[in-house]
């Protein structure tokens, strides 16, 4: 998978082994890595595209088509949301996929699970209420501490109103606003390229720590790396971070897909590969989805083998396995 | 005549037809039901003549009408570089 995503041509033996893997293993691997759309795009240009098994081709094609449909819905959904934002006077920052899409990224280049907004805690509840009353969204009943309950509406992408970027505050909560730019067409703000890149890094390390180093997060960092990103600031931010090792590993491994990224941790790709192999070993052999999900988290933590990662089982005991499993894409 | 779909073209069915997105230019094109039918046949590797025959069969139209509609759409798709015409290979000495 990673070779194709990096634009390389895997050898015949590797191709035969990969495409000879059971469909179920492919399905689980795609659920963990979260990069079916990117793989579909990369395979189109790959010399091995003719050998893709039919079931896998079908899944990838479905994922790619869904990504386009979702991407086409985003501008309209953000535009109506912006009207409410304008009326409420709240300052709202559009995050992640929707921000990248409206900043000019190719529509349908990655899947979109939802539309993420960052809003000051004082405005967040008001906006949450307005979206239900004025735009017909319905609210889920519960939410993690860093965002309000997810808003959903049939035929639209779910919306998450965040009051901070992650479960624990970081310097980025303040920093991301500093050089945010106002949208030209809509009354929401967008992170700067550096702010968006730092968010992609933290998101991969802190939000999705149960599936840390998945290919989707590495690709998000690689695709977010461009000439407008302040390399010095990113390197300094990562060096001073409490999760420095994880952030450096994501940044270093993303270099496989964007060679303009500086070398920050030469062993990064080896770590990512080790973690992925441990997870695949679990999902290839454990049939029961719930057990596979739990063991998959444990295998990833052990394979990462960093001192902080090894502390995470204690964190699991404190915060509960359920929350960690909620971060893992469902294998059912 | 044979056509291949460009690796830059991404297709998605929507409520009332389909959209084809050009990943290079970021432009997207909508296809009505007939356009979607023709695109599906291109995906299956049908030749121009085969597509015309399938359109006649599916929509019960005269062959000349189907021929004109298919040619028009395929020309547009070629112009927008969403598909490419594949030149037939010739044997040596032909």
């Amino acid at each position: 998978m990673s070779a194709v995503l990096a634009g390389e041509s895997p050898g015949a033996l590797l191709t035969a082994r990969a495409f000879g893997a059971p469909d179920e293993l492919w399905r689980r691997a795609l659920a963990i890595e979260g990069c079916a759309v990117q793989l579909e795009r990369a395979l189109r240009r790959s010399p091995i595209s003719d050998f893709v098994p039919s079931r896998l081709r079908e899944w990838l094609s479905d994922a790619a088509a869904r990504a386009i449909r979702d991407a086409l819905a985003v501008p309209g959904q953000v535009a109506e949301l912006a009207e409410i934002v304008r009326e409420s006077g709240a300052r709202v920052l559009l995050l992640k996929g929707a921000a990248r899409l409206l900043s000019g990224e190719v529509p349908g280049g990655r899947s979109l699970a939802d539309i993420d907004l960052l809003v000051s805690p004082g405005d967040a509840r008001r906006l949450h209420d307005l979206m239900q009353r004025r735009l017909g969204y319905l609210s889920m009943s519960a939410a993690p501490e860093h965002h309000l309950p997810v808003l959903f509406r049939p035929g639209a992408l779910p919306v998450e109103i965040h009051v901070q970027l992650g479960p624990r505050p970081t310097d980025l909560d303040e920093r991301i606003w500093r050089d945010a730019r106002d949208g030209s067409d809509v009354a929401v703000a967008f992170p700067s390229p550096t702010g968006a890149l730092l968010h992609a890094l933290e998101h991969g390390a802190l939000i999705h720590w149960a599936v840390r180093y998945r290919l989707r997060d590495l690709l998000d960092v690689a695709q977010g790396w461009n000439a407008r990103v302040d390399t010095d600031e990113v390197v300094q931010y990562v060096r001073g971070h409490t999760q420095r090792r994880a952030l450096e590993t994501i940044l270093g491994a993303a270099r496989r897909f964007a060679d303009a990224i500086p070398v920050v941790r030469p062993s990064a790709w080896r770590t990512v590969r080790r973690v992925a192999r441990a997870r695949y070993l679990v999902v290839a052999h454990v049939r029961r989805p719930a057990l596979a999900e739990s063991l998959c988290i444990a295998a990833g933590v052990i394979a990462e083998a960093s001192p902080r990662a090894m502390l995470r089982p204690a964190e699991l005991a404190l915060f509960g396995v359920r929350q960690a499993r909620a971060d893992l894409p469902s294998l059912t | 005549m044979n056509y291949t779909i460009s690796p830059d073209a991404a297709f998605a069915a929507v409520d009332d037809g389909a959209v084809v997105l050009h990943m290079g230019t970021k432009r997207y094109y909508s296809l009505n039901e007939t356009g979607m039918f023709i695109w599906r046949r291109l995906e299956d590797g049908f030749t121009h003549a085969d597509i015309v025959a399938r359109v006649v069969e599916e929509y019960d139209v005269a062959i000349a009408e189907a021929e004109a509609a298919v040619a028009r759409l395929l020309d547009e798709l070629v112009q927008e570089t969403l598909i490419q015409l594949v030149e037939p290979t010739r044997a040596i000495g032909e």
Side-chain angles (χ1 to χ4, degrees):
Chain A
M1 226 189 299
S2 57
V4 172
L5 289 165
E8 299 162 8
S9 298
L13 196 63
L14 182 59
T15 303
R17 278 181 61 199
F19 288 157
D23 288 342
E24 180 59 15
L25 179 56
W26 266 108
R27 194 182 65 77
R28 288 179 163 199
L30 289 172
I32 291 170
E33 303 295 355
C35 62
V37 179
Q38 293 92 327
L39 184 62
E40 196 268 352
R41 303 280 179 250
L43 274 170
R44 286 161 172 259
R45 301 178 178 283
S46 169
I48 66 169
S49 64
D50 289 344
F51 307 108
V52 179
S54 58
R55 195 74 193 277
L56 175 60
R57 188 185 295 279
E58 196 180 305
W59 287 333
L60 297 178
S61 173
D62 286 349
R66 192 164 49 247
I68 293 175
R69 283 193 292 269
D70 288 341
L72 294 179
V74 167
Q77 221 178 318
V78 171
E80 65 170 14
L81 172 72
E83 285 300 310
I84 298 288
V85 169
R86 189 177 289 121
E87 283 176 35
S88 73
R91 190 155 193 236
V92 173
L93 190 70
L94 194 60
L95 299 169
K96 292 165 53 187
R100 293 165 61 145
L101 183 65
L102 295 183
S103 298
E105 193 177 83
V106 179
R110 69 196 280 286
S111 60
L112 283 167
D114 50 32
I115 294 174
D116 292 287
L117 307 172
L118 181 64
V119 186
S120 68
D123 291 330
R125 178 59 65 186
R126 196 155 45 95
L127 185 62
H128 195 264
D129 291 343
L130 273 173
M131 286 181 67
Q132 291 173 77
R133 279 193 283 115
R134 298 282 299 279
L135 300 179
Y137 283 89
L138 302 167
S139 173
M140 302 281 275
S141 53
E145 63 271 36
H146 62 289
H147 64 75
L148 299 181
V150 176
L151 293 164
F152 63 97
R153 190 177 67 185
L157 280 168
V159 177
E160 281 186 5
I161 298 181
H162 295 247
V163 290
Q164 68 185 30
L165 293 169
R168 290 174 204 98
T170 71
D171 292 345
L172 191 58
D173 289 313
E174 295 288 328
R175 191 262 165 254
I176 201 163
W177 285 105
R178 201 189 314 148
D179 54 0
R181 62 178 176 82
D182 289 329
S184 51
D185 303 327
V186 288
V188 292
F190 294 78
S192 69
T194 306
L197 195 279
L198 291 173
H199 185 217
L201 273 173
E202 275 199 355
H203 195 267
L206 307 180
I207 308 289
H208 287 149
W209 67 262
V211 279
R212 193 180 268 180
Y213 309 143
R214 61 187 188 150
L215 286 170
R216 179 191 179 88
D217 293 326
L218 304 185
L219 290 167
D220 275 351
V221 170
Q223 283 157 8
W225 193 276
N226 59 49
R228 290 172 297 150
V229 169
D230 184 335
T231 305
D232 292 340
E233 188 191 342
V234 172
V235 171
Q236 286 305 315
Y237 186 86
V238 168
R239 277 189 189 146
H241 204 281
T242 55
Q243 297 282 339
R244 173 180 177 173
R245 188 184 174 120
L247 265 64
E248 281 186 349
T249 301
I250 292 174
L251 192 57
R255 194 168 183 275
R256 171 126 202 237
F257 308 107
D259 54 15
I261 294 176
V263 180
V264 287
R265 185 170 282 267
S267 63
W269 186 254
R270 283 202 301 278
T271 304
V272 167
R273 196 169 52 182
R274 191 170 64 240
V275 168
R277 282 178 174 174
R279 288 178 183 143
Y280 293 169
L281 198 65
V282 169
V283 297
H285 292 98
V286 181
R287 284 176 182 272
R288 278 179 47 208
L291 182 62
E293 285 168 14
S294 297
L295 291 178
C296 192
I297 297 169
V301 169
I302 293 165
E304 187 180 344
S306 75
R308 276 190 179 276
M310 298 306 276
L311 282 174
R312 274 190 276 149
E315 200 172 7
L316 275 183
L318 283 174
F319 294 103
V321 176
R322 186 174 296 199
Q323 181 56 45
R325 277 190 40 208
D327 290 336
L328 183 72
S330 172
L331 298 178
T332 53
Chain B
M1 279 187 291
N2 269 325
Y3 296 89
T4 56
I5 293 175
S6 161
D8 278 329
F11 171 91
V14 291
D15 285 346
D16 49 355
V19 291
V20 181
L21 179 73
H22 195 298
M23 306 293 283
T25 61
K26 300 180 193 170
R27 292 177 68 177
Y28 65 87
Y29 307 84
S30 57
L31 297 177
N32 60 16
E33 190 204 323
T34 319
M36 184 165 78
F37 180 84
I38 294 171
W39 185 271
R40 291 286 197 205
R41 305 292 81 76
L42 287 167
E43 284 183 329
D44 292 338
F46 282 38
T47 63
H48 187 130
D50 290 339
I51 294 172
V52 171
R54 288 301 181 99
V55 168
V56 169
E57 196 178 295
E58 181 74 17
Y59 295 99
D60 195 20
V61 290
I63 193 160
E65 195 182 337
E67 177 70 59
V70 170
R72 198 164 51 240
L73 178 63
L74 295 182
D75 280 351
E76 280 181 38
L77 295 174
V78 168
Q79 275 177 22
E80 299 297 337
T81 66
L82 292 164
I83 61 172
Q84 286 119 26
L85 184 60
V86 181
E87 295 295 336
T89 49
R90 287 186 169 185
I92 296 169
E94 202 178 320

